[in-house]
Amino acid sequence: MRRRRRTGWATQKPTWREARPALIADVLKRASARPSGNWFVVGASRDVRAGGRPYGRTVGGVEVVLWRTDAGGLRAGPGVCPHLGAPLRDSRVVCGTLVCHWHGLALDGGPSAGWDPYPVHDDGVLVWVRLDRVGGEEPTERPPVPVRPAAGSGVDAVFTAVGTCEPQDVVANRLDPWHGSWFHPYSFVDLTVARPPEGEEDDAFVVDVSFRVTGRLVVPVRAEFTAPGPRTVVMRITEGEGTTSVVETHATPLTGEDDERPRTAVVEAVVAASDRRGFALARAAAPALRPLMRRTAGRLWRDDLAYAERRWALRSTGRFPG
């Protein structure tokens, strides 16, 4: 779609009256109270490859290591070798077994020598690990994976960035859709919140927005933002081009609760789908499209992490009540 005229950034309708801090805080509070089952997103499924090196991540101050068996089975556990503390993320996988590079202690993914595995789940796009001591909730057998387009029908890409803030600051950013065309005019125009949440039983933001392709060429859609858990916000396109496509934003704490400078990983999964006949070509070209999708997400998160970090800095010094 081509816009009839070019509209200046400063001529937009101000949105600060609608973006009420109390409304955003209430939705954030309800999201924070929803159970997660102690599951944390640690990265993209394709980051942990059979025959590849171990994948390491620190979650809530706990070192975690993941790897795959030769058959592709996912394994996870403490990232500290129980022998003398070597970082297992720097070790090697030999015939599907993790072998410590300090003294050769071999771990096949089962309990061994004081090393106990963590529950892990691969949903086909993202890898989750369950850390009960970090989460502190009632554990669940499976993570709360959002509904996505049918497997094999979309193109997915995963972007990861790290900021100095807490998960709630990342979630609060996503629960403020009003900032879109003001803060990201290079990506969004004509943004209107058609319906904000309407009470404790309805936490969905319904948004009409046009994604900017180039110049005056835009793609108008209706999207819905929801927060199904304390560290996740999902944007789902409900009308227009790419209906059923989703953008999942997962905020994973890297540091412990008492750390004076908390760090949070943003792991964002984009799963794009379309009923256009030519979309099969996009699926075939997925390996070439993924870097472009990650660059697009990276440009947005360059700004949105600044938003989240600013929110944390003000909140941690008592200058902002959020």
Side-chain angles (χ1 to χ4, degrees):
M1 174 180 172
R2 190 173 180 83
R3 301 176 81 220
R4 292 183 179 179
R5 66 182 184 279
R6 190 182 298 272
T7 304
W9 176 82
T11 63
Q12 299 180 86
K13 178 186 175 182
T15 57
W16 66 271
R17 293 183 187 277
E18 289 81 6
R20 293 183 288 115
L23 172 62
I24 297 170
D26 284 347
V27 179
L28 176 63
K29 181 178 180 181
R30 291 194 289 272
S32 300
R34 294 188 178 108
S36 70
N38 301 329
W39 288 94
F40 297 84
V41 170
V42 292
S45 297
R46 62 179 59 90
D47 287 342
V48 190
R49 295 171 295 145
R53 297 190 63 82
Y55 179 84
R57 171 71 76 187
T58 299
V59 178
V62 175
E63 289 184 52
V64 178
V65 64
L66 303 95
W67 76 96
R68 291 193 190 273
T69 66
D70 287 348
L74 192 61
R75 303 289 185 264
V80 179
C81 181
H83 175 224
L84 285 175
L88 292 175
R89 70 178 66 190
D90 297 330
S91 295
R92 299 183 182 182
V93 178
V94 181
C95 298
T97 296
L98 182 66
V99 180
C100 178
H101 63 303
W102 277 16
H103 301 92
L105 178 68
L107 300 167
D108 63 7
S112 176
W115 186 95
D116 292 312
Y118 296 138
V120 67
H121 181 77
D122 183 349
D123 65 28
V125 177
L126 297 171
V127 169
W128 307 66
V129 66
R130 198 184 82 197
L131 299 173
D132 294 338
R133 284 188 297 174
V134 176
E137 301 176 11
E138 185 70 24
T140 57
E141 185 177 352
R142 289 286 183 267
V145 180
V147 176
R148 298 173 181 152
S153 67
V155 176
D156 67 89
V158 179
F159 170 80
T160 302
V162 175
T164 303
C165 59
E166 295 178 331
Q168 65 161 294
D169 302 302
V170 172
V171 173
N173 168 270
R174 277 298 184 259
L175 295 179
D176 169 21
W178 291 278
H179 79 269
S181 55
W182 284 101
F183 204 32
H184 310 295
Y186 46 82
S187 290
F188 308 118
V189 293
D190 304 328
L191 188 151
T192 302
V193 177
R195 182 175 61 79
E198 296 179 343
E200 293 192 8
E201 301 302 319
D202 175 20
D203 276 348
F205 294 85
V206 178
V207 177
D208 292 323
V209 62
S210 292
F211 292 97
R212 189 189 296 277
V213 179
T214 180
R216 284 186 286 173
L217 184 63
V218 299
V219 178
V221 302
R222 171 162 281 195
E224 184 176 281
F225 289 78
T226 57
R231 295 178 293 275
T232 300
V233 177
V234 178
M235 185 205 77
R236 177 172 287 102
I237 295 179
T238 57
E239 297 179 29
E241 181 64 39
T243 297
T244 74
S245 298
V246 299
V247 177
E248 300 174 14
T249 304
H250 300 274
T252 298
L254 303 184
T255 48
E257 288 187 358
D258 297 330
D259 198 291
E260 294 184 357
R261 289 185 61 80
R263 300 177 76 239
T264 295
V266 175
V267 184
E268 186 161 276
V270 179
V271 186
S274 174
D275 56 7
R276 289 182 180 269
R277 294 177 60 184
F279 190 70
L281 296 175
R283 289 199 300 272
L289 288 176
R290 287 189 182 107
L292 176 61
M293 295 167 71
R294 287 194 292 267
R295 283 197 296 271
T296 300
R299 188 178 186 188
L300 288 171
W301 275 108
R302 177 196 62 195
D303 293 336
D304 279 342
L305 269 178
Y307 177 128
E309 290 180 331
R310 172 72 171 177
R311 184 181 188 275
W312 172 79
L314 293 177
R315 185 167 52 81
S316 65
T317 55
R319 290 178 288 167
F320 184 74

